[in-house]
Amino acid sequence: MEHYQALIIKNVHIYTENDVIKGGTLLIEDGKISRILTAEQLLPKYPSSFKVIDGQGQYAIPGFIDGHIHGANGRDVMDATEEAIDTIAKTLPTEGTTSFLATTITQSAENISHALRNVANYPNKQGYAEVLGVHLEGPFIEKSKKGAQPLEHIMAPNIEQFDKWQQQSGGKIKTITMAPEHDQDGSFISHVVNQGVNVSAGHTAATFLDMKRAVKHGVRQVTHICNAMSGIHHRDVGVVGAALLLKELRAELIADRIHVSDEMMQLIYDQMGSERLMLITDAMRAKCLPPGDYELGGQPVKVTNDRAVLHDDTLAGSILKMYNAAQNMLKLDRVTIRHIINMASVNPAKQLSVFDRKGSLTIGKDADILLVDDMLDISYTICRGVVAYERNGK
C-alpha cells in the first residue's frame, strides 16, 4: 500500500458542512484537511511529493462511521486478536467506512475481557479504518429480546462488572447497548453516562414509560431500530415509538431491506428525519465471504446470498456493506446525498463526541474522504490522508 504525506484532490464537488463547492480542490497534509479551494481559487505551487487525484467531477463526501459492526471478511471482534481487527479495519474502506466501533456480543465475562483487552492494545494503522473504541452490545439485556445474543450469558446491569471491563478496555467503551427496564432507578445508566459513555436502548422489552424514564437518566440512542425491541402497539408505542417521538434519541438503522422493510424505513425516515438516524451494518464475520456456515457469539450461523440466520431463522447480524446501506436509503422518497452524509457521517460523529475531528469535510479535521458518483458508488476511500481503497487501483 502506498502512503502519502500530502495529497491533492482536484475537480471534485465538495460537500462541506453547509455548502457544495463545485469543481473544488482539497489539500491534505499530515492526515488532515489543510485547505479547501473553490474552482476560482488558484491552486498553489506544491512539491512533486504531493500525490494528485483528479476527481473528474465526482462528489467528495465525509467517510462513513459504522458505530455497530462485529466483523467482516472471516474475522470477528470476539476473536480477540490483532489480526482480526486488522482484517476488519483493512476491509471496511472498500465499502466507504473510514472509522468504526469494534462491537462485542453477549458472551462469558472472560471472553468479553479478552476482546476488550485486545482493542485496548490495538494500534491504529495507516490506510486502515480507524477503531474509535468499543460498542459493548450486551450482556445487560432482556432475555425475551435476545435476538442472536446467547441466552446463557445474559446478566442484570452490574456497575462493578462494567467498571472492570471499562478498565480492561483502556477506557475505550464508547457505546453500550442495554435494556433500560432492568435499571428502573437509573443508577447504572447514570453511572455509565457520567463516564462519557453513549447508552443505547436495545435488546429490550421496555415500555414507552420505561423509555421516557431512561431518557431522563441519560439514554440517548436506540440500537438497530425495530429489531429486538418492543414495537408499536396501539396501547403502548414501546421502544420504536419512543425513538420516533422522543427528540433526545438518535436511532441506529440496518438499511439492508431485510431487518426493516422499505415501507418501515420510509416511515421511520419521515418521522425522524436525517438528523436523528445513524446508518450501521451490524455485520458479522461472513460479510465479503461466500454463502456457507459461520458462527456468531459461539452459535452456528447459516449465510445465504443476502442474510445471516441462526438455526431457528433468527437474523444473526447482517452481511451488509455500508455503501449499500446508503444506496438503499437514497432510493427512499425525499432522501438526498446531504441526508446520507448526516446519517452515515455527521450523526455518528456527534453521537460519539468525535465531531471535532471527524464526520465532515472541514479544515483541520481528519482527511476521511470518499469520492463517489451520484449513485454513491465509491472510486476512492481516503483514511486519515492515506488512499485506503481505489476502485481501479491495486
Side-chain angles (χ1 to χ4, degrees), residues 26-336:
L26 288 158
L27 270 67
I28 296 158
E29 298 176 88
D30 298 319
K32 306 282 187 184
I33 298 170
S34 60
R35 295 188 70 178
I36 300 175
L37 304 174
T38 66
E40 293 74 31
Q41 291 175 302
L42 289 175
L43 188 63
K45 289 184 178 179
Y46 53 87
S48 58
S49 59
F50 275 61
K51 175 180 171 65
V52 180
I53 296 174
D54 185 346
Q56 299 180 332
Q58 295 185 94
Y59 302 103
I61 66 174
F64 299 148
I65 301 172
D66 193 346
H68 189 153
I69 175 169
H70 298 275
N73 209 9
R75 300 293 182 267
D76 189 285
V77 172
M78 297 302 293
D79 294 346
T81 65
E82 181 176 343
E83 187 268 342
I85 305 296
D86 272 350
T87 298
I88 297 165
K90 188 175 181 180
T91 300
L92 293 186
T94 66
E95 61 190 68
T97 296
T98 55
S99 56
F100 66 102
L101 287 185
T103 304
T104 60
I105 191 171
T106 298
Q107 256 293 337
S108 69
E110 183 181 16
N111 284 349
I112 292 173
S113 291
H114 288 321
L116 294 175
R117 287 194 188 99
N118 183 55
V119 175
N121 295 318
Y122 180 77
N124 279 306
K125 294 164 187 172
Q126 275 199 311
Y128 289 33
E130 181 179 352
V131 181
L132 296 174
V134 172
H135 180 157
L136 189 74
E137 188 180 16
F140 310 128
I141 57 174
E142 164 54 37
K143 292 179 179 179
S144 68
K145 297 294 184 181
K146 68 180 183 62
Q149 305 277 325
L151 180 67
E152 63 270 25
H153 298 300
I154 293 172
M155 64 174 74
N158 183 315
I159 288 174
E160 184 180 356
Q161 180 63 75
F162 174 81
D163 285 349
K164 181 179 179 181
W165 280 334
Q166 183 65 300
Q167 184 270 328
Q168 290 169 340
S169 79
K172 289 188 177 179
I173 298 174
K174 303 300 182 185
T175 294
I176 180 172
T177 287
M178 53 90 67
E181 67 270 29
H182 296 311
D183 184 39
Q184 286 288 322
D185 67 359
S187 56
F188 179 85
I189 295 170
S190 300
H191 176 80
V192 173
V193 168
N194 286 339
Q195 294 189 28
V197 177
N198 172 44
V199 181
S200 188
H203 293 277
T204 168
T207 64
F208 183 68
L209 184 60
D210 287 331
M211 287 300 296
K212 286 181 72 175
R213 185 183 296 115
V215 165
K216 286 183 179 178
H217 293 142
V219 169
R220 290 294 178 267
Q221 183 173 309
V222 167
T223 297
H224 44 50
I225 189 170
C226 296
N227 289 274
M229 65 181 54
S230 46
I232 294 176
H233 184 272
H234 57 281
R235 293 193 186 94
D236 193 306
V237 296
V239 181
V240 175
L244 302 185
L245 293 172
L246 302 179
K247 304 306 182 188
E248 296 93 337
L249 293 170
R250 288 192 175 106
E252 298 178 345
L253 175 62
I254 309 172
D256 60 358
R257 309 176 70 188
I258 297 165
H259 281 78
V260 183
S261 72
D262 290 354
E263 296 80 11
M264 190 64 182
M265 286 200 300
Q266 186 71 64
L267 181 63
I268 291 167
Y269 177 79
D270 287 347
Q271 182 68 27
M272 297 186 73
S274 69
E275 294 76 24
R276 294 204 294 122
L277 286 172
M278 298 179 295
L279 300 187
I280 60 159
T281 63
D282 193 15
M284 48 88 73
R285 71 171 72 242
K287 173 160 66 171
C288 307
L289 297 179
D293 295 318
Y294 298 92
E295 71 84 36
L296 179 68
Q299 306 163 107
V301 175
K302 182 167 286 295
V303 174
T304 61
N305 286 324
D306 67 349
R307 67 191 68 196
V309 295
L310 301 181
H311 66 90
D312 60 358
D313 285 336
T314 298
L315 289 170
S318 84
I319 52 174
L320 177 65
K321 296 177 180 176
M322 188 61 106
Y323 78 94
N324 290 139
Q327 288 172 330
N328 288 338
M329 291 301 289
L330 196 59
K331 293 172 185 172
L332 298 181
D333 294 340
R334 296 172 292 282
V335 177
T336 67

